[in-house]
Amino acid sequence: GMNFTTENSLDNEMDLRKCQSCINAGLITSPWIGMNKNVINIKDWREKFSTFLSGADDVFAPSRSASEIINYYYPELKIKIKEHEVSHHKYTFCPKFANINELNIAFLGAIGEHKGSNMIYELLDAIRKEQLPLKLNVIGITNLHPTPFVSEDGRFEVTGPYQREQVSNLLAAHKISIVVINSICPEIFSYTANEALLSGYPIVTFDFGAPA
């Protein structure tokens, strides 16, 4: 379990009993980790990883944020930062996208609850209620909209799945004004944040994890 503060520090859970309780309660689900949660003993898990990592010639993390999380549990580790490569982008942002009457806000990727999908729908409700000149574009999918969708009022559009090589062109095709990376968990690397930045688009994100 992790809690976030406004000071941008991670309050990583060190208490073995609390970690074990979360695992036993099913907060770490078997399909996601590919193993039966009932056989996980967090004390043994940490000890095994400590032995494994300390014996490695080199330990790499894809972001400073990821290295800080690992060092919280294994402070003796020397971790090198090596980001994943993002080479399928091109610069497509045009300044006029930020000056149109109805701003287009984009959310990128496959967005489930841990990626902040609930916020998208809450924001959409607020936009409709306040009649704000904003349109929400999900370039990708959400847990509630896994296929292409356009709302009757035109305030909300979901493109559906896309190939990574398409992302720069899709941002331009929808005349995106700003990209929101709203994951509510500390991403260890964010392809979508890198893709948007390298394509020239401004980003709003939370002040934690790799996107920050």
Side-chain angles (χ1 to χ4, degrees):
M2 296 182 184
N3 298 311
F4 303 104
T5 68
T6 54
E7 287 77 28
N8 189 30
S9 61
L10 281 172
D11 183 17
N12 297 283
E13 184 58 68
M14 296 298 290
D15 190 310
L16 292 170
R17 292 171 300 177
K18 289 182 180 179
C19 281
Q20 192 67 53
S21 176
C22 282
I23 292 169
N24 295 345
L27 296 183
I28 306 297
T29 58
S30 301
W32 282 102
I33 60 177
M35 63 185 298
N36 186 342
K37 67 185 179 186
N38 296 319
V39 303
I40 298 174
N41 180 296
I42 194 62
K43 182 175 182 294
D44 292 343
W45 180 286
R46 289 189 188 175
E47 289 175 355
K48 287 176 182 178
F49 268 92
S50 177
T51 300
F52 173 73
L53 292 172
S54 63
D57 293 330
D58 291 298
V59 177
F60 296 94
S63 67
R64 179 174 55 83
S65 173
S67 70
E68 289 174 350
I69 292 173
I70 298 300
N71 273 145
Y72 195 88
Y73 293 96
Y74 310 114
E76 71 285 353
L77 277 182
K78 304 298 182 188
I79 301 177
K80 299 177 181 178
I81 309 301
K82 184 179 182 181
E83 292 191 351
H84 299 307
E85 291 187 11
V86 179
S87 58
H88 49 266
H89 68 281
K90 58 183 177 180
Y91 195 100
T92 59
F93 179 74
C94 294
K96 64 182 180 181
F97 294 166
N99 293 300
I100 55 181
N101 291 330
E102 185 177 74
L103 296 181
N104 291 301
I105 301 173
F107 301 85
L108 284 177
I111 307 172
E113 290 188 19
H114 68 295
K115 296 272 190 177
S117 64
N118 290 342
M119 296 180 190
I120 297 175
Y121 295 101
E122 289 173 10
L123 180 59
L124 181 59
D125 288 342
I127 288 170
R128 287 170 170 161
K129 182 179 179 181
E130 301 295 330
Q131 297 186 332
L132 300 174
L134 303 170
K135 178 183 176 183
L136 302 187
N137 302 265
V138 176
I139 298 178
I141 61 174
T142 75
N143 54 311
L144 299 183
H145 288 91
T147 56
F149 172 81
V150 180
S151 65
E152 289 186 10
D153 63 3
R155 296 285 189 189
F156 181 57
E157 179 174 352
V158 179
T159 68
Y162 62 89
Q163 298 297 316
R164 287 196 181 279
E165 293 76 14
Q166 298 175 306
V167 66
S168 299
N169 287 337
L170 285 169
L171 288 166
H174 289 81
K175 299 179 180 179
I176 296 304
S177 312
I178 193 164
V179 175
V180 178
I181 306 295
N182 59 316
S183 178
I184 59 175
C185 65
E187 302 278 356
I188 61 171
F189 183 81
S190 176
Y191 277 101
T192 53
N194 279 271
E195 289 164 344
L197 282 174
L198 292 170
S199 299
Y201 295 78
I203 288 180
V204 171
T205 189
F206 292 119
D207 194 17
F208 57 76

